[in-house]
Amino acid sequence: MEKNSENIKKIASMIDHTNLNPCATKKDIEKLCDEAKKFGFASVCVNPFYVPLAATLLEGSEVKVCTVVGFPLGSVTIDDKASEAGLVVDEGAREVDMVINLGLVKDKQWDDVFEDIYAVRCAINDVFVPGDPKIILKVILETCYLTDEEIVKCCECAEKAGADFVKTSTGFAILKGPDGKLLPNGATTHAVELMRKTVGDRLGVKASGGVHNWEEACAMVEAGASRIGASAGVQIIS
């Protein structure tokens, strides 16, 4: 994709400008929000603690507040995820990225995988104010841990449960090869293509983790991504 003003604007509008660093400060979040408004990013993605701050900073702008639930492992109880989701929406989040329970996936407990996602969807709906824009739910699959068959099944569960997006990665996974060296843990074009093929145009696909520059972002979009999660949003479009 040619890097012209029109395409830069298009890619910027697809970026969830992200800072999920556990050491992020108030100043860091203020900078994140200022950049999101300046460059026209889709949202800022912050840890739940900073949702109220981000909501205040972005009030009146078109930039949404996105946050994470069950992050980064996805192994908390269903009730915990639902409770957290309801709270962050009440505090101003308009997009929620939840981490799937990978143990349930590996055990092929697909009914429970569905229930995990559905509980969050219901909790969001319970807080939703009629007349407001829909609260967006994205389901993080952590694809580096999954087989193609598992990716497909997770996408099907997410769609059935009422999710709006499926998302590749947290960016916090730790995957090692037989030699003990770290392996890539983020988005791949293969995973994005498979996710898009599974959900068609019914759901969005978010490529997140390891997207650092314009070329990588464009590759994800060409593979089928409709949203990019990145801490390097400014670098990508600069």
Side-chain angles (χ1 to χ4, degrees), residues 14-21 24 28-29 31-33 35-36 41-47 63-64 66-68 71 95 97 138 140 167 169-172 206-211 227-234 236:
M14 300 169 69
I15 290 176
D16 289 345
H17 194 35
T18 303
N19 188 337
L20 296 171
N21 189 322
D28 293 330
I29 302 306
K31 180 174 182 286
L32 190 80
C33 292
E35 290 171 344
F41 294 138
S43 79
V44 297
C45 188
V46 298
N47 281 309
V63 181
K64 302 296 187 296
C66 174
T67 193
V68 288
F71 192 86
E95 301 197 355
D97 293 14
K138 311 188 198 95
I140 306 173
K167 174 179 170 181
S169 321
T170 64
F172 284 74
K206 178 175 174 178
S208 184
V211 183
R227 194 73 71 90
I228 302 291
S231 59
V234 174
I236 288 169

Side-chain angles (χ1 to χ4, degrees), residues 23-37:
C23 295
T25 65
K26 179 181 178 182
K27 186 175 181 180
D28 293 330
I29 302 306
E30 290 172 342
K31 180 174 182 286
L32 190 80
C33 292
D34 285 343
E35 290 171 344
K37 289 187 286 186

Side-chain angles (χ1 to χ4, degrees), residues 16-186:
D16 289 345
H17 194 35
T18 303
N19 188 337
L20 296 171
N21 189 322
C23 295
T25 65
K26 179 181 178 182
K27 186 175 181 180
D28 293 330
I29 302 306
E30 290 172 342
K31 180 174 182 286
L32 190 80
C33 292
D34 285 343
E35 290 171 344
K37 289 187 286 186
K38 177 180 178 180
F39 294 104
F41 294 138
S43 79
V44 297
C45 188
V46 298
N47 281 309
F49 176 80
Y50 283 121
V51 166
L53 174 62
T56 298
L57 293 171
L58 294 171
E59 187 174 2
S61 78
E62 295 184 1
V63 181
K64 302 296 187 296
V65 179
C66 174
T67 193
V68 288
V69 164
F71 192 86
L73 301 178
S75 300
V76 299
T77 68
I78 290 176
D79 287 345
D80 283 340
K81 282 185 189 174
S83 176
E84 187 177 19
L87 177 62
V88 294
V89 170
D90 188 54
E91 292 185 331
R94 291 299 173 262
E95 301 197 355
V96 174
D97 293 14
M98 66 165 288
V99 186
I100 207 165
N101 188 315
L102 291 163
L104 294 177
V105 173
K106 291 301 180 181
D107 279 337
K108 302 187 186 302
Q109 299 295 313
W110 302 117
D111 288 344
D112 291 332
V113 172
F114 162 81
E115 290 294 342
D116 189 48
I117 304 167
Y118 185 64
V120 172
R121 177 81 265 175
C122 290
I124 290 171
N125 291 349
D126 286 345
V127 182
F128 173 68
V129 177
D132 283 355
K134 181 183 180 184
I135 305 298
I136 300 298
L137 174 61
K138 311 188 198 95
V139 179
I140 306 173
L141 309 188
E142 205 69 285
T143 52
C144 69
Y145 290 139
L146 305 181
T147 65
D148 284 3
E149 179 183 1
E150 289 166 343
I151 291 172
V152 169
K153 292 292 292 184
C154 288
C155 288
E156 291 172 348
C157 287
E159 181 174 1
K160 181 181 176 183
D164 302 288
F165 279 77
V166 284
K167 174 179 170 181
T168 58
S169 321
T170 64
F172 284 74
I174 298 175
L175 189 66
K176 295 182 178 180
D179 58 0
K181 292 184 178 180
L182 291 175
L183 298 175
N185 66 346

